[in-house]
Amino acid sequence: MDKAFELIGAVSAAGRNGITLRELAGRANVAVSTAHRYITSLLELGVLERDAAGAYHLGVSLITLAGRYLEEDGLRAAARPYLTELVELSGETVHLGIRVGDQIVYVDKVESAKSVRLVSHIGSRVPMHCTSMGKVILALLDTATTEAILAAAVQERRTPHTLTGQDLLAELDRVRRQGFAIDDEENEEGVRCVGVPILNTEGSPVAAFSVSAPATRFSVADCHRIASTAITMAADIGRRIGYTGTPKKER
């Protein structure tokens, strides 16, 4: 099971161009014959598909299962009206994300109507230490969990603006106090985002959502302006999924 999901993950990471059997074997550190045995079963199940050039892609059955999960997901259903409203208010793209290990996975997205907008996909993964959703979740997790994530993660400087080390810790303190985080071109140059947390029934961050836009038309002041409205929306979403208190403060 572990190896099968490792192969599925490698196919997913390869994107629209797909990946060859030999490349898959190398990623999974197994013989080509072993990888072929796994792939044959995954093809029969419809989890993977093979194109005319021999490259492998995610299959229809996996996409169908993911779609059913998203349709039934209470968090996504509770958040969707607010994401749509926030796009109308801000004019920019809004993402909903959850933490998976030391990364944020997009589980929903409402696009801006503007001609120049961000390229992102549901299911995409982004680092926590340099994204607004990631930082706002890191700031509210218990100290041990935050430290473990930062220790395990490769805190790479993805742009000249990426914060690491003590600068990142100071940023997380600031995020904790103000209740929102700004990605000021830290994950991708030319892109600025503001993110707020969604809390679960225990007052811990279960998810986050963010407003993202080209930095040329989305200033830091815009981020602060939108943040107060987004925080109110996040509290409403939290109540819809059963949370009625205030964020945990103990660190």
Side-chain angles (χ1 to χ4, degrees):
M1 290 285 287
D2 286 345
K3 190 60 66 177
F5 272 93
E6 185 177 350
L7 291 169
I8 292 168
V11 172
S12 176
R16 67 180 60 187
N17 293 326
I19 187 171
T20 67
L21 178 61
R22 188 167 297 278
E23 289 171 331
L24 274 172
R27 296 273 185 92
N29 195 28
V30 297
V32 172
S33 59
T34 302
H36 183 266
R37 201 160 57 244
Y38 282 105
I39 293 300
T40 299
S41 296
L42 294 172
L43 288 171
E44 291 173 352
L45 293 168
V47 173
L48 297 181
E49 295 177 352
R50 186 182 182 193
D51 65 21
Y56 295 94
H57 305 263
L58 296 181
V60 172
S61 68
L62 187 64
I63 296 168
T64 300
L65 289 172
R68 288 175 183 168
Y69 167 76
L70 291 174
E71 287 174 2
E72 296 170 0
D73 178 48
L75 169 64
R76 186 171 179 268
R80 194 34 126 86
Y82 295 93
L83 305 187
T84 301
E85 182 181 354
L86 197 53
V87 169
E88 292 173 354
L89 289 172
S90 66
E92 306 297 351
T93 298
V94 178
H95 293 94
L96 176 68
I98 60 173
R99 177 174 75 91
V100 177
D102 61 356
Q103 296 180 311
I104 294 294
V105 177
Y106 296 149
V107 296
D108 203 1
K109 174 186 179 182
V110 182
E111 289 269 18
S112 165
K114 295 178 179 177
S115 58
V116 177
R117 53 183 184 265
L118 306 181
V119 177
S120 59
H121 307 281
I122 294 174
S124 297
R125 294 172 179 245
V126 293
M128 293 189 73
H129 72 283
C130 58
T131 56
S132 63
M133 286 193 286
K135 289 193 295 183
V136 82
I137 288 178
L138 279 172
L140 292 176
L141 290 171
D142 63 87
T143 303
T145 302
T146 297
E147 290 177 349
I149 290 172
L150 293 179
V154 178
Q155 294 183 47
E156 59 178 321
R157 292 182 61 84
R158 295 173 67 90
T159 78
H161 307 284
T162 303
L163 302 175
T164 59
Q166 291 301 313
D167 290 335
L168 177 57
L169 294 178
E171 167 74 351
L172 295 181
D173 283 338
R174 179 164 52 252
V175 169
R176 198 173 300 118
R177 292 193 301 271
Q178 67 189 15
F180 64 91
I182 295 175
D183 162 8
D184 192 7
E185 302 187 67
E186 296 161 47
N187 183 53
E188 184 178 351
E189 287 192 84
V191 177
R192 186 172 286 121
C193 315
V194 57
V196 297
I198 299 172
L199 305 174
N200 66 10
T201 54
E202 297 177 348
S204 298
V206 68
F209 63 87
S210 66
V211 180
S212 306
T216 52
R217 69 172 187 238
F218 194 51
S219 67
V220 171
D222 290 329
C223 291
H224 281 266
R225 176 178 53 81
I226 289 172
S228 59
T229 299
I231 289 171
T232 300
M233 290 181 171
D236 288 343
I237 296 169
R239 282 190 285 272
R240 291 184 67 178
I241 62 173
Y243 180 64
T244 57
T246 55
K248 290 183 175 179
K249 296 296 186 183
E250 64 271 21
R251 294 292 299 169

